[in-house]
Amino acid sequence: MKTFFPNIKKIKYEGPDTSNPLAFKHYNPRQKVMGKTMAEHLRFAVCYWHTFKGLGGDQFGPGTIIRNYNSSGEPMQIAEDTMHAAFEFFTKLGVNFWCFHDRDIAPEADTLAETNKRLDTIVALAKKLQKDTGVELLWGTTNAFSHRRFMAGAGTNPSPHVFAYAASQIKKAMEITKELGGQGYVFWGGREGYETLLNTDMKRELDHLAALLHMAVDYKKQIRFKGQFYIEPKPKEPTKHQYDSDAGNCYAFLQKYNLLKDFKLNIEANHATLAGHTFQHELQYCVDNGILGSVDANRGDLFLGWDTDQFPTDIYDTTLAMYIILQGGGFTTGGLNFDAHVRRQSIDPEDLFYAHIGAMDAFARGLKNAAKMLKDKTFEKAIKKRYAGWNTPFGSKIESGKADFAQMEQYILKNGEPKLQSGRQELLENLLNDYI
Ligand code: XUL
Ligand code: CO
């Protein structure tokens, strides 16, 4: 069989002392941490769009990266070769999951019917390759943001004709996700947002977005698709104001439109930072509200204000993320999808491997660190101590909603000034360093 990464052998765990850059130093899939293997905890997925379709293009120039599966000329041949290359990559890297948009795997044709036929051909191939390799689909999604018909949005488009196009596309993407046994389905807003309120009826657009999602919920029941639905928040890019801007905003939207029971969130690190939050903040918000579903693992750049989608390498970030994910009970249907791309100058196929190996090692270290933090309860104890006042009869009375203003006043008149306590931030930061 034709191979697309002939110079790469299966990536193995060789331990921290290896000098082989094509080996894992920390990710040992079968190693147990807190009763589960690393592979079971981390549920790594490779994304199709950046890894196989991203060629390093930016606003200033077209792609720089030439791939051997991208060169045969005929679009469906390229699609087939790319699918073969993708499964070779997943298998050599040793990830158990992948993720895709409909338009990543098969190019759009002139009509919806023709496009859907192309999808069926490619999905049949993907299904066979999944069976041959054991690699599973973490989630599928729709690209309803690249084509010019979606320039003013998909579900939030001012035209019902465009809305119907988006809905038809989602219908098909859900069908193929089900066909491939997908464990989830993502709705990322794409161009669901606006540039100026001078031409936008925001209320109406959000009502329409909710109508679209309700249709998806109904169709999910109809076709008996068991995967989990996720919304992926992002505050800006491509539109000036994206509707699903952060976890809190999504939560309010889902509550208002009675969609909370059908959706969880897919939190992306770089989207969190664009929203002015840390990755950990967004994860914690989801855990606290029972809506953490899956993660798009990447990182931004401190000095750039856009979605750079770099591979995660910061051990503080991966440690704190895993600390929160483990506290939330770990992944069920979700996982860590590397929604990240190699830089424009990283033009060799090996670079794709280095990028993923580094990211997987970074999360393996994060997992091990987080497990130690949980075992020692260092931070849990500090937080418990800080809030101890709420466990007294007085604190409990307030928490149970049985207290009133008069009682508060009485308490202060009797007890006077509160005794203040240190927040101990520097000490806790030092203690965190002991785990890194
Ligand atoms: C865009 C983004 C998407 C979604 C899927 O910033 O993250 O790739 O993850 O549509
Ligand atoms: Co993403």
Side-chain angles (χ1 to χ4, degrees):
M1 206 182 83
K2 193 169 168 194
T3 136
F4 294 93
F5 301 100
N7 301 327
I8 308 283
K9 294 194 195 70
K10 172 115 177 84
I11 309 299
K12 293 200 193 99
Y13 171 72
E14 293 184 7
D17 297 331
T18 185
S19 57
N20 177 6
L22 287 168
F24 295 115
K25 292 182 174 157
H26 301 278
Y27 178 60
N28 184 2
R30 280 174 294 279
Q31 185 181 327
K32 288 223 166 149
V33 178
M34 288 172 62
K36 281 204 295 191
T37 67
M38 283 195 176
E40 286 164 343
H41 274 294
L42 297 165
R43 293 168 60 84
F44 290 128
V46 168
C47 85
Y48 210 89
W49 51 102
H50 289 312
T51 300
F52 306 108
K53 304 304 287 181
L55 300 173
D58 65 15
Q59 286 98 318
F60 302 96
T64 50
I65 298 172
I66 299 160
R67 301 283 186 218
N68 54 9
Y69 42 86
N70 227 339
S71 56
S72 82
E74 204 277 306
M76 280 305 280
Q77 188 59 50
I78 289 178
E80 278 179 29
D81 286 350
T82 306
M83 191 59 77
H84 280 288
F87 276 82
E88 184 183 335
F89 184 82
F90 306 149
T91 315
K92 286 188 167 168
L93 184 64
V95 290
N96 296 331
F97 297 97
W98 65 302
C99 297
F100 72 91
H101 298 84
D102 47 4
R103 300 300 178 253
D104 304 334
I105 58 170
E108 212 166 327
D110 291 339
T111 66
L112 183 70
E114 215 29 62
T115 302
N116 286 352
K117 245 190 358 232
R118 286 182 169 186
L119 274 172
D120 289 336
T121 307
I122 289 298
V123 166
L125 173 63
K127 198 173 175 182
K128 182 190 173 295
L129 292 169
Q130 285 193 162
K131 194 160 174 269
D132 293 349
T133 59
V135 174
E136 294 176 60
L137 180 61
L138 191 68
W139 50 260
T141 187
T142 310
N143 178 336
F145 45 85
S146 293
H147 194 282
R148 67 190 287 277
R149 78 174 73 86
F150 298 121
M151 66 181 186
T156 63
N157 200 284
S159 153
H161 198 143
V162 180
F163 177 102
Y165 211 108
S168 314
Q169 212 179 305
I170 294 168
K171 175 179 177 289
K172 180 69 180 174
M174 280 172 61
E175 289 164 11
I176 61 175
T177 299
K178 183 190 174 224
E179 173 71 10
L180 291 169
Q183 300 192 15
Y185 187 90
V186 163
F187 294 84
W188 168 58
R191 293 185 195 274
E192 314 292 28
Y194 66 85
E195 302 301 331
T196 169
L197 285 175
L198 295 175
N199 67 11
T200 303
D201 186 337
M202 178 158 66
K203 181 178 182 304
R204 218 167 171 183
E205 291 202 356
L206 282 163
D207 288 348
H208 298 162
L209 183 58
L212 182 76
L213 297 181
H214 272 289
M215 282 185 196
V217 169
D218 290 345
Y219 193 59
K220 183 176 175 221
K221 285 180 195 140
Q222 197 182 318
I223 63 171
R224 295 194 174 83
F225 170 47
K226 297 278 177 268
Q228 173 66 49
F229 275 167
Y230 310 110
I231 293 202
E232 182 176 324
K234 181 176 184 181
K236 38 195 161 186
E237 206 194 18
T239 72
K240 174 175 159 174
H241 186 99
Q242 294 279 127
Y243 289 136
D244 301 328
S245 53
D246 66 1
N249 181 281
C250 288
Y251 190 68
F253 172 85
L254 293 170
Q255 265 185 322
K256 174 177 175 187
Y257 291 101
N258 195 24
L259 286 161
L260 209 45
K261 62 181 182 319
D262 297 297
F263 285 84
K264 288 189 170 157
L265 300 194
N266 181 39
I267 294 299
E268 179 162 326
N270 203 171
H271 296 180
T273 51
L274 285 178
H277 302 303
T278 60
F279 181 25
Q280 297 85 40
H281 168 91
E282 289 291 82
L283 293 171
Q284 187 74 61
Y285 185 91
C286 289
V287 167
D288 291 346
N289 291 287
I291 51 167
L292 180 62
S294 201
V295 166
D296 272 6
N298 60 15
R299 76 185 151 99
D301 184 297
L302 189 59
F303 299 100
L304 303 175
W306 64 87
D307 194 12
T308 58
D309 281 336
Q310 286 164 250
F311 279 85
T313 52
D314 184 324
I315 312 297
Y316 278 96
D317 242 17
T318 60
T319 299
L320 290 172
M322 288 316 299
Y323 183 58
I324 296 163
I325 291 166
L326 289 178
Q327 280 178 307
F331 291 121
T332 51
T333 54
L336 292 167
N337 168 48
F338 294 116
D339 192 351
H341 58 88
V342 292
R343 301 300 95 187
R344 189 172 157 77
Q345 297 177 54
S346 303
I347 55 175
D348 295 334
E350 293 90 296
D351 292 315
L352 284 179
F353 281 90
Y354 296 142
H356 284 86
I357 290 168
M360 290 161 79
D361 268 344
F363 267 97
R365 285 175 72 178
L367 170 65
K368 287 191 278 186
N369 294 345
K372 272 195 223 124
M373 285 161 67
L374 281 171
K375 185 162 168 269
D376 294 352
K377 298 191 173 22
T378 309
F379 303 95
E380 202 184 309
K381 280 185 202 154
I383 290 176
K384 217 168 166 186
K385 191 167 162 227
R386 193 160 183 239
Y387 291 81
W390 292 95
N391 301 332
T392 61
F394 179 67
S396 309
K397 197 170 180 188
I398 301 175
E399 281 194 338
S400 64
K402 287 183 192 131
D404 61 20
F405 271 1
Q407 287 166 341
M408 299 300 104
E409 187 183 45
Q410 226 174 23
Y411 185 88
I412 296 305
L413 291 174
K414 186 172 164 224
N415 294 287
E417 271 303 311
K419 188 169 173 278
L420 301 188
Q421 59 172 332
S422 166
R424 293 275 185 266
Q425 182 172 335
E426 296 77 9
L427 170 64
L428 292 168
E429 284 168 351
N430 295 350
L431 292 174
L432 174 62
N433 264 353
D434 290 344
Y435 292 93
I436 302 293

